[in-house]
Amino acid sequence: MKEESRCSFCVKLFKWFPVLFITAVIGWSYYSYVIQLCFLTVEDMDEKVCYLITYHPLLVLFLWSYWQTIFTDVYSIPKQFKIPAAEFEKLQKEPNEENQRRLLEQLSTDLPVLCRTFSGAIRVCEKCRMIKPDRAHHCSVCGKCVLKMDHHCPWVNNCVSFSNYKFFILFLGYALVYCVFISLTTLQYFIKFWTNNLKGYGKFHILFLFFVAVMFAISLVSLFGFHCYLIIANRSTLESFRPPVFRMGPDKNGFSIGRYQNFIQVFGNDKLR
């Protein structure tokens, strides 16, 4: 038991490494931008103040959305979707597939379930012993079924799902703006580095800061753009690869209620928020 608990602790600790890596990169970028660039390299006071005033709100929004994505709990599946122990045992022992399907239809009579398996049966999670709500999937990393699961993201050590999808999108958006801002404001000093007009050891921080910001911006553009498309289409990442199945068959637009309403479904009705 002690070895199992140690192993479990090591696995949990290892899962935080990508988050610690991103946090370390953000910390280094702060030092490079604020100290090495703004305080020690930029000579014009107006330029320096402008950079600092713009940079810090972007950083706060970026960190806030990242924090929310990581620490927002995955919502639990409502208990009415749980299959009673006796019924689940009966389901497991039933050899006839048609009888299994009838039993599942009876168990889901009062549940708002539209999605089916490819064979037309009600979706069941044998690990959680429950009927799966629409768009829910079992996450092997979290060890439970997750509402409107998009994917499990190692960079936030959490499932991106119904409860934190809005924060995840904001995180991608603010991260992209953060990287683009750094890229644009360090560009002239990056050019000065190659023309030997930048002095001191801090120039290497500025050089790598530009490279890292551009690299992350390029990857974030495609990822953020892809998820913006998913929001407008009202699909998850999983549904973009395998469309949900209904009684009449697969339908990739099965949950779409119009572009604006799809957007509202993720971001809410309050325009100020």
Side-chain angles (χ1 to χ4, degrees), residues 17 43 49 70 73 107 123 135 183:
F17 281 4
E43 296 177 353
V49 170
I70 295 170
D73 291 331
L107 290 170
R123 301 188 311 140
R135 314 185 85 172
S183 301

Side-chain angles (χ1 to χ4, degrees), residues 183-196:
S183 301
L184 293 176
T185 52
T186 56
L187 177 60
Q188 61 172 310
Y189 299 98
F190 172 77
I191 295 171
K192 286 181 179 180
F193 175 89
W194 293 108
T195 55
N196 294 318

